[in-house]
Amino acid sequence: MVEYDVNEVWEKIKEAVKKEINPSPTDISYNTWFESLVPLCFDDNDTLILKAFADFHRDIVINRYSLVILNAIRQLFSPHLSIKVILPDEVEKYKRFLKPKQDEKPEIVTQLNPKYTFETFVVGNNNRLAHAAALAVAETPPGERTYNPLFIYGGVGLGKTHLMHAIGHHVLKLYPGTKVMYVTSEIFTNELIAAIRDEKTDEFRLKYRNVDVLLIDDIQFLGGKERTQEEFFHTFNTLYEANKKIILSSDRPPKEINTLEDRLRSRFEWGLITDIQPPDFETRIAILSKKCQLEGTPVPQHILEFIASKIETNIRELEGALNKILAYSKLMAPDKEITLDLAEKALKEFIDTNTKKELTIEDIQAEVASYFGIRLEDFKSSRRSRNVAFPRQIAMYLARELTNVSLPKIGEAFGGKDHTTVLHACEKIKELINTDSNTKNTVETIKKRLIHRE
């Protein structure tokens, strides 16, 4: 039987697998399925035992990652080693191989990203309130209620997930033994489906209602899923009544998730709702400087300013641009300082906007309909209910802002509306942008999606 430290072995395997498949930072499949595996022990047959959180998770790991994991462990350690992926209800069989410390650790269903902490989060005017609220929630002792639930919303790649992981890390640091669970709404839904199929809903409920801190990312994807919303409604109530912490994230505020049941929407508004806006120029430079510092890779200040001037909305894209420049530099000029010319070549697709297809009203209607969860034909209908009228006004406003189409033509594209109707809609949305932060965030989010579409 091997005498390797199972956690050290797993960390080295993860590094080897990352080099082999080279996942992007936003690779949902890799982050959801591979990163959530839990190394348990080696058995007496020199087999590394890994735990998946459900049978569908195990199947995906076996089909997608088992071969690359097996190659890594055999190349790094011994050709005689093998792997096995088990389910939570099989752990008892391997209990005698577990080290006491491993057995005592609070279980985190989806492992927290070690890079996502409060120490690595760059605070700016765009996220100061969200950061302060997240820190306050994390520092509140178990059993006490502060901003519960905490609801963080904002566009893609602005740091919502980073803050959620940071809360989890900070809670475990301050209050060891706390049961912390971080999942995406996709995982929650998939586990519920599996539990219903396998008649294990009691185990599912016990798992989610027996935690001290529940963090659910991208909660907007529960919209339209009636059974999942029903289950989460009761889970929310159980945790809330027991003074357990609930932290949720979304790309929009609760009242704009139209396919969400009213009873859930109202509960999401019980605590504190805070948003994260796109970072300003100075914050973008600070984010890039922090990343360089953490990576131990110096980059000239004027290069950071160049990147910050070209990537204005998305932190993931911002860091991705820096990574691309560093990789390009290593390949093309490994012994030279990064120059502006090299940076421009590396980021050609980011700054060459002339190749993008011109926006049409149909593009705008499709994006707005997707955001609000309505049908395209609703834009041309005469319905005046807010859940249709408000998205229609936003679509008209964006059509005027982002295209050169005349007001009468815009009205025609919206079911033959008069040009004065279009003008009224544009003026109303413009006024709301100046007076209502939720509307401003919604319009900016949709606009960014349109501008950065494929």
Side-chain angles (χ1 to χ4, degrees):
M1 183 175 173
V2 294
E3 297 181 357
Y4 299 118
D5 182 288
V6 67
N7 291 312
E8 290 181 5
V9 169
W10 183 238
E11 287 303 315
K12 290 181 180 178
I13 289 173
K14 284 168 64 177
E15 290 177 12
V17 170
K18 280 185 179 180
K19 288 180 181 178
E20 176 68 23
I21 64 179
N22 192 28
S24 70
T26 57
D27 189 328
I28 296 175
S29 176
Y30 173 84
N31 292 332
T32 299
W33 309 122
F34 182 77
E35 284 286 352
S36 57
L37 285 170
V38 179
L40 292 179
C41 59
F42 281 97
D43 68 8
D44 49 13
N45 293 317
D46 289 350
T47 300
L48 173 62
I49 307 301
L50 302 170
K51 184 180 69 172
F53 56 74
D55 54 359
F56 66 88
H57 179 205
R58 177 180 60 185
D59 294 343
I60 290 173
V61 169
I62 290 173
N63 291 332
R64 297 184 187 177
Y65 300 108
S66 61
L67 186 58
V68 69
I69 295 173
L70 190 61
N71 288 339
I73 195 172
R74 289 180 174 175
Q75 289 177 10
L76 290 170
F77 300 99
S78 168
H80 304 295
L81 299 182
S82 58
I83 64 167
K84 184 177 182 180
V85 184
I86 67 170
L87 299 177
D89 58 8
E90 299 176 276
V91 172
E92 188 68 25
K93 301 175 187 175
Y94 299 90
K95 198 165 185 178
R96 64 191 178 95
F97 300 111
L98 296 174
K99 293 181 180 180
K101 287 186 178 180
Q102 288 176 311
D103 202 24
E104 293 166 7
K105 285 180 69 175
E107 181 178 2
I108 302 173
V109 174
T110 300
Q111 293 178 332
L112 298 171
N113 189 324
K115 294 182 179 179
Y116 289 168
T117 66
F118 283 122
E119 289 74 22
T120 60
F121 189 84
V122 176
V123 181
N125 293 329
N126 63 307
N127 58 25
R128 197 175 304 280
L129 177 59
H131 172 269
L135 189 59
V137 167
E139 292 183 341
T140 301
E144 295 185 17
R145 185 176 292 176
T146 301
Y147 307 138
N148 202 28
L150 175 61
F151 192 101
I152 305 171
Y153 74 92
V156 176
L158 294 182
K160 301 185 300 295
T161 298
H162 189 144
L163 272 184
M164 296 187 80
H165 283 255
I167 291 172
H169 283 301
H170 207 61
V171 168
L172 290 171
K173 178 181 177 182
L174 294 178
Y175 310 107
T178 303
K179 294 178 182 177
V180 176
M181 182 182 294
Y182 165 87
V183 293
T184 63
S185 62
E186 178 191 15
I187 291 177
F188 184 88
T189 301
N190 288 340
E191 286 195 29
L192 175 59
I193 292 170
I196 294 170
R197 182 193 66 210
D198 300 335
E199 298 182 349
K200 293 183 178 180
T201 51
D202 287 341
E203 289 93 329
F204 175 87
R205 288 165 185 159
L206 180 63
K207 172 181 176 180
Y208 279 96
R209 299 178 192 182
N210 191 34
V211 298
D212 301 305
V213 182
L214 178 62
L215 305 112
I216 296 195
D217 219 344
D218 291 324
I219 198 70
Q220 75 273 9
F221 290 126
L222 293 190
K225 300 181 176 72
E226 294 180 6
R227 180 64 189 269
T228 306
Q229 290 189 54
E230 173 77 19
E231 195 62 45
F232 186 70
F233 172 77
H234 294 296
T235 297
F236 182 101
N237 286 345
T238 300
L239 294 175
Y240 187 85
E241 289 167 5
N243 281 341
K244 305 300 184 182
K245 294 183 175 72
I246 304 168
I247 300 95
L248 309 169
S249 82
S250 172
D251 64 352
R252 69 201 80 170
K255 68 180 182 180
E256 291 183 15
I257 308 176
N258 292 329
T259 51
L260 198 65
E261 294 178 1
D262 288 340
R263 58 180 181 171
L264 270 180
R265 188 182 294 112
S266 67
R267 278 162 174 75
F268 292 171
E269 295 173 344
W270 280 355
L272 176 67
I273 300 174
T274 181
D275 68 325
I276 300 180
Q277 295 289 336
D280 56 28
F281 182 71
E282 291 76 15
T283 304
R284 295 198 296 274
I285 292 177
I287 291 169
L288 292 169
S289 298
K290 185 76 170 182
K291 183 170 178 61
C292 291
Q293 177 188 340
L294 293 172
E295 299 289 339
T297 307
V299 174
Q301 181 70 14
H302 70 282
I303 299 299
L304 300 183
E305 292 175 359
F306 168 74
I307 299 172
S309 69
K310 298 301 178 183
I311 314 296
E312 299 182 355
T313 58
N314 190 310
I315 295 172
R316 288 180 194 157
E317 286 187 3
L318 192 69
E319 294 182 342
L322 176 61
N323 289 336
K324 183 155 190 181
I325 288 175
L326 292 173
Y328 192 84
S329 173
K330 287 180 181 178
L331 290 172
M332 306 304 292
D335 300 321
K336 297 180 180 178
E337 187 179 79
I338 298 172
T339 64
L340 187 58
D341 181 60
L342 183 145
E344 288 177 342
K345 290 178 180 177
L347 300 186
K348 188 174 186 301
E349 75 272 20
F350 286 104
I351 59 181
D352 186 9
T353 57
N354 295 327
T355 59
K356 287 192 175 181
K357 183 173 79 72
E358 186 175 346
L359 268 178
T360 65
I361 294 179
E362 289 75 18
D363 294 329
I364 293 169
Q365 289 176 332
E367 192 63 57
V368 175
S370 173
Y371 184 91
F372 284 100
I374 63 175
R375 302 171 303 170
L376 281 172
E377 50 264 37
D378 287 335
F379 287 122
K380 298 182 180 182
S381 73
S382 57
R383 293 175 59 190
R384 296 186 178 182
S385 57
R386 177 173 170 76
N387 67 323
V388 172
F390 184 60
R392 184 193 293 134
Q393 289 172 334
I394 286 180
M396 288 179 176
Y397 170 82
L398 289 172
R400 190 184 186 194
E401 287 286 305
L402 301 177
T403 73
N404 294 319
V405 180
S406 65
L407 291 178
K409 286 290 184 183
I410 293 175
E412 187 178 313
F414 285 84
K417 303 290 189 294
D418 187 83
H419 77 279
T420 56
T421 302
V422 178
L423 185 60
H424 170 73
C426 293
E427 292 300 323
K428 181 175 180 179
I429 296 302
K430 187 175 181 180
E431 180 183 349
L432 285 172
I433 288 173
N434 293 327
T435 58
D436 179 53
S437 61
N438 288 339
T439 301
K440 179 180 178 181
N441 183 70
T442 297
V443 173
E444 288 301 314
T445 299
I446 297 172
K447 187 185 292 187
K448 287 163 203 161
R449 289 182 180 181
L450 287 164
I451 293 172
H452 296 286
R453 76 199 192 288
E454 294 294 332

